[in-house]
Amino acid sequence: AMLFVFEKPGSYQFWMKDMKFPIDIIFINGDKIVSFVENAPPSPTNDALQRYGPEADIDKALEIKAGLVKKYGFKKGDTVKVE
């Protein structure tokens, strides 16, 4: 997993440059899940990268193995604790 922490809330965008496998991206603001992207596929080329963003401002984003959002039943509004 990779956790991105931002100094202030905003609408940050993510893309899959040079990725070799799909991931899930969980968008977090404060201690709540705002939205997520499931099974974001790697881009076949770096020429036209698909961008993924949250439905509302976030201050954190967590990239995890594809399928884990579904496996653990994460939902919008779930509480997240970062230690």
Side-chain angles (χ1 to χ4, degrees), residues 13-76:
Q13 301 289 307
F14 290 77
W15 56 87
M16 305 289 289
K17 183 175 181 184
D18 297 324
M19 290 291 292
K20 306 293 184 214
F21 51 87
I23 61 172
D24 292 348
I25 307 170
I26 301 173
F27 298 109
I28 305 162
N29 193 22
D31 64 352
K32 301 286 184 193
I33 294 176
V34 170
S35 60
F36 47 81
V37 174
E38 295 183 76
N39 294 304
S43 188
T45 70
N46 286 333
D47 296 332
L49 294 170
Q50 169 72 39
R51 294 180 187 270
Y52 302 96
E55 295 175 7
D57 286 352
I58 60 167
D59 60 7
K60 291 178 271 310
L62 179 63
E63 295 182 346
I64 58 176
K65 182 179 175 184
L68 292 182
V69 165
K70 184 175 183 173
K71 178 178 180 177
Y72 293 108
F74 296 134
K75 309 179 292 303
K76 277 171 71 171

